[in-house]
Amino acid sequence: MHEDLNWAIGGEAGDGIDSTGKIFAQALSRAGRHVFTSKDFASRIRGGYTAYKVRTSVDKVRSVVDRLDVLIALTERTVEENLDELHDGSVIIYDGERTEFSDFEAPNEVTGLDVPLKSLAEDAGGAIMRNVVALGAVCEVAGFPIENLDESLEKKFGGKGEKIVENNKKAARLGAEYVEEEFDLAFDFDLETTDNDYVLLNGDEAIGMGAIAAGCKFYAGYPITPATDVMTYLKGRIENFGGHVVQAEDELAAINMALGAARAGARSMTATSGPGIDLMTETFGLVATSETPLVITNVMRSGPSTGMPTKQEQGDLNQMLYGGHGEIPRFVLAPTTVAECFWKTIEAFNLAEKYQTPVYLTADLAMAVTEQTFEPEKFDMDAVEIDRGKVVDEDDISKWQNEKDQFKPHAVTADGVSPRAFPGTEGGVHMSTGLEHDELGRRTEDVDVRVEQVDKRQQKVTTAEEEEDFSYREFGNPDSDNLVISWGSNEGTLIEAMDYLDQEDVDVRFLSVPYVFPRPDLTEDVEAAEDVIVVECNATGQFADLIEHDTLTRVKRVNKYNGVQFKADELAEDIREELA
């Protein structure tokens, strides 16, 4: 028996796959089990294959693996899509009363359970509950007490009335009872429960939660997969903290609204994906040259153009580093875990205001939609620190005025950061133009002033490199000659891949980099290793290019760009082959 259980439900978009998966994931979490989810869905409202997978264990789980133990197949295609992951002892739950399953036979050594999902759901009160019947069947197969579903069902359907909740509880129990009575089988699963208390959330939700904790007061965005859930999370919550959410008509309007709010003194952000970043690039330059603090979240997906909206990729790195005409100072943060999405969002707001510079906070689809369990102390609100930067009030304003008592919002300073006066500050009236400007923010073409202002804006990054901690995180054997480097959401998968490699007596040192710009200097680390492998989800190795540029050393590359995130066992094999 495996220490973890890998479960999935699959069917067509519109079959309630996502809500069913969430009910099961929440039930497992509330039962004190760790959970890691993944989704495979088409970019359409109805039709097209979609699946929701849950990996669960009493120990921490950080990635998906290439194994499936229990599968709820609502369509025959679901079996075909997951055939390679099924193994001896796997269980498929299907409804043989459906036409496409009338002659279905489970693959060799796989147990097929024909459960009349629709009929049992109708007995409970309605065919729409067939997925809940299937969940009940899973509870019986996996040795998971059916009572653990109740709280999740109450949360999901409580707003629809007590009768609906009770009908769903009945549906689940009918599914469990049918399996118990009709199949005389001993299943090799036993989902142990614990008293542990976990938080279950995905990357988009963690970003939204981090924005509220950071004191964000304005969010403007346009719905775009896979960033929409940031806005969904904030709406209905941020208002409780004096904030506002605006759904703009497009990405151009969204970033300009966010810019306006930031100029007015509010902590402000927007979130989008690659196509939206393209549209926002012109205003991104205005944000930088006007020295306005703004957080821009880019939840990456497959590109270019509209690409594959619901598929994984880390292909926007160069766009975030170099996008925009002219030379634009910026920060690029890349959280490496769902929990870190919370903390890096807070850090992004602090960096934006401290250095009056736009900050890219970048996640990707795999992290955005992945739901994972964490201990509540991972989100300790008492540990949140807010730094609003070099804000001046009426008592300090005179230090930053000229002989005519005019405020200098772009004053040249040693650290590159000018004073900032919120609207309404007496003596702080000022303007900023997108054209090159002098210290007062007025248009200029004076060559000396131009050089002064460019150098001042660029100095911010140099100052940040001196004052901030842009370190990597290290895992594995610190003395290993095999060095693996990655950025963003690959951290959890790599940590588990190291366990597989360790079983084959292959040791590695792994550096996980959450800062893309500025980033840590890895020259000494690379020079000390015999083999260096950079792992990322794109075709050209954009982060590997940066490593080679920084260290003047060629590195090996493990790239995946088929729209699917790395799996731990698969990645271990890729690394082993590169080392061989």
Side-chain angles (χ1 to χ4, degrees):
M1 182 173 63
H2 295 286
E3 294 181 355
D4 59 341
L5 177 83
N6 290 268
W7 168 95
I9 180 170
E12 292 195 353
D15 281 346
I17 304 298
D18 189 67
S19 60
T20 306
K22 285 186 177 180
I23 289 170
F24 193 48
Q26 288 169 353
L28 292 164
S29 173
R30 290 192 173 96
R33 295 185 61 86
H34 277 294
V35 168
F36 188 97
T37 75
S38 63
K39 300 178 185 179
D40 185 359
F41 55 107
S43 54
R44 61 184 74 175
I45 297 173
R46 292 201 65 85
Y49 173 72
T50 182
Y52 191 113
K53 297 185 178 182
V54 175
R55 184 180 177 205
T56 179
S57 173
V58 293
D59 299 318
K60 188 73 174 178
V61 283
R62 296 181 173 89
S63 79
V64 292
V65 293
D66 198 16
R67 191 186 83 247
L68 191 54
D69 304 311
V70 180
L71 172 65
I72 299 174
L74 300 184
T75 61
E76 193 168 15
R77 180 182 174 183
T78 300
V79 180
E80 297 169 0
E81 290 283 347
N82 295 278
L83 196 58
D84 292 342
E85 296 184 18
L86 296 169
H87 59 87
D88 293 356
S90 292
V91 175
I92 300 175
I93 297 171
Y94 66 97
D95 188 345
E97 293 182 353
R98 296 193 65 174
T99 303
E100 62 182 305
F101 282 114
S102 58
D103 298 319
F104 175 75
E105 292 185 9
N108 292 336
E109 307 303 324
V110 174
T111 300
L113 301 184
D114 182 354
V115 181
L117 303 178
K118 182 180 178 182
S119 296
L120 291 175
E122 289 172 341
D123 292 343
I128 195 171
M129 294 181 290
R130 65 170 182 162
N131 293 6
V132 177
V133 173
L135 285 181
V138 170
C139 288
E140 181 63 28
V141 169
F144 189 56
I146 194 76
E147 295 77 18
N148 289 308
L149 281 181
D150 291 347
E151 188 176 349
S152 295
L153 293 172
E154 289 168 2
K155 181 176 180 180
K156 175 65 179 177
F157 302 110
K160 297 183 179 181
E162 185 176 346
K163 181 174 176 57
I164 298 297
V165 173
E166 292 305 315
N167 285 349
N168 277 274
K169 290 180 180 179
K170 180 180 178 181
R173 282 159 174 78
L174 287 176
E177 291 167 3
Y178 187 89
V179 172
E180 180 184 18
E181 294 169 1
E182 298 296 328
F183 301 100
D184 185 19
L185 299 170
F187 301 107
D188 195 21
F189 307 110
D190 183 14
L191 291 191
E192 175 188 350
T193 61
T194 76
D195 294 328
N196 296 328
D197 183 26
Y198 297 125
V199 175
L200 178 69
L201 77 167
N202 63 35
D204 276 353
E205 292 167 342
I207 289 170
M209 189 165 69
I212 292 174
C216 177
K217 290 296 185 286
F218 185 82
Y219 175 95
Y222 181 77
I224 181 172
T225 302
T228 305
D229 280 349
V230 177
M231 180 165 58
T232 303
Y233 181 89
L234 288 172
K235 184 62 180 172
R237 290 183 174 90
I238 198 172
E239 293 85 353
N240 297 327
F241 301 90
H244 298 277
V245 171
V246 175
Q247 180 175 319
E249 61 267 32
D250 54 37
E251 284 88 350
L252 287 84
I255 191 172
N256 280 290
M257 287 179 182
L259 168 59
R263 292 295 298 178
R267 283 200 154 186
S268 179
M269 77 176 295
T270 185
T272 186
S273 192
I277 294 295
D278 292 342
L279 295 171
M280 291 180 177
T281 300
E282 182 178 7
T283 300
F284 180 81
L286 176 58
V287 172
T289 198
S290 64
E291 301 188 81
T292 304
L294 186 65
V295 176
I296 304 166
T297 297
N298 177 18
V299 187
M300 296 177 288
R301 70 190 202 186
S302 294
S305 187
T306 42
M308 296 192 295
T310 61
K311 302 301 177 184
Q312 161 71 358
E313 196 165 283
Q314 294 176 303
D316 298 350
L317 185 58
N318 288 337
Q319 165 73 337
M320 290 183 291
L321 284 173
Y322 309 117
H325 57 281
E327 296 167 313
I328 304 174
R330 68 194 75 192
F331 296 100
V332 183
L333 278 59
T336 59
T337 68
V338 170
E340 198 180 42
C341 286
F342 172 80
W343 291 106
K344 283 291 179 279
T345 301
I346 297 168
E347 186 176 353
F349 277 101
N350 285 341
L351 288 172
E353 291 204 313
K354 190 173 180 180
Y355 298 98
Q356 297 169 29
T357 300
V359 177
Y360 276 126
L361 176 73
T362 183
D364 53 42
L365 182 137
M367 182 178 289
V369 304
T370 292
E371 290 168 315
Q372 193 173 357
T373 45
F374 297 93
E375 295 77 8
E377 52 267 27
K378 284 282 188 180
F379 309 97
D380 181 6
M381 298 300 174
D382 292 334
V384 173
E385 297 181 358
I386 305 298
D387 188 343
R388 301 220 63 182
K390 199 180 290 186
V391 177
V392 296
D393 56 21
E394 288 83 353
D395 296 333
D396 301 320
I397 202 78
S398 60
K399 300 176 185 177
W400 303 101
Q401 293 174 323
N402 64 10
E403 64 280 357
K404 297 181 179 179
D405 295 332
Q406 296 171 306
F407 180 62
K408 297 185 290 184
H410 303 285
V412 177
T413 61
D415 62 2
V417 183
S418 302
R420 184 173 174 226
F422 293 144
T425 303
E426 186 175 346
V429 174
H430 63 278
M431 62 165 287
S432 294
T433 174
L435 296 164
E436 190 54 272
H437 42 250
D438 59 17
E439 290 186 305
L440 295 175
R442 295 177 177 177
R443 173 183 177 178
T444 182
E445 293 184 359
D446 182 284
V447 293
D448 294 330
V449 173
R450 161 66 175 176
V451 172
E452 272 188 340
Q453 288 293 318
V454 171
D455 289 347
K456 184 190 83 69
R457 293 192 291 266
Q458 295 297 331
Q459 177 62 36
K460 298 176 183 182
V461 176
T462 303
T463 299
E465 289 177 311
E466 296 170 352
E467 295 185 355
E468 309 295 333
D469 182 9
F470 296 124
S471 301
Y472 55 70
R473 279 196 298 280
E474 182 174 350
F475 304 90
N477 180 4
D479 298 319
S480 176
D481 293 328
N482 305 316
L483 180 63
V484 177
I485 304 170
S486 191
W487 66 285
S489 67
N490 304 313
E491 179 180 293
T493 307
L494 264 163
I495 290 173
E496 291 208 352
M498 289 165 62
D499 292 336
Y500 285 96
L501 291 169
D502 187 59
Q503 294 171 13
E504 301 177 25
D505 295 325
V506 178
D507 72 332
V508 300
R509 180 186 180 210
F510 167 40
L511 304 184
S512 180
V513 183
Y515 300 100
V516 179
F517 189 80
R519 56 186 172 271
D521 185 357
L522 303 180
T523 303
E524 292 184 3
D525 304 285
V526 170
E527 290 177 349
E530 290 185 8
D531 285 293
V532 181
I533 301 173
V534 178
V535 174
E536 54 191 315
C537 288
N538 55 52
T540 59
Q542 295 175 35
F543 194 70
D545 289 343
L546 295 180
I547 300 299
E548 291 185 344
H549 171 274
D550 293 347
T551 66
L552 301 180
T553 303
R554 291 292 185 187
V555 300
K556 298 178 179 179
R557 304 167 186 228
V558 171
N559 301 97
K560 189 172 185 179
Y561 47 93
N562 63 353
V564 181
Q565 64 183 310
F566 283 109
K567 298 178 181 179
D569 43 359
E570 163 202 52
L571 184 53
E573 180 64 18
D574 290 341
I575 292 172
R576 188 189 63 77
E577 290 179 359
E578 282 295 327
L579 293 175

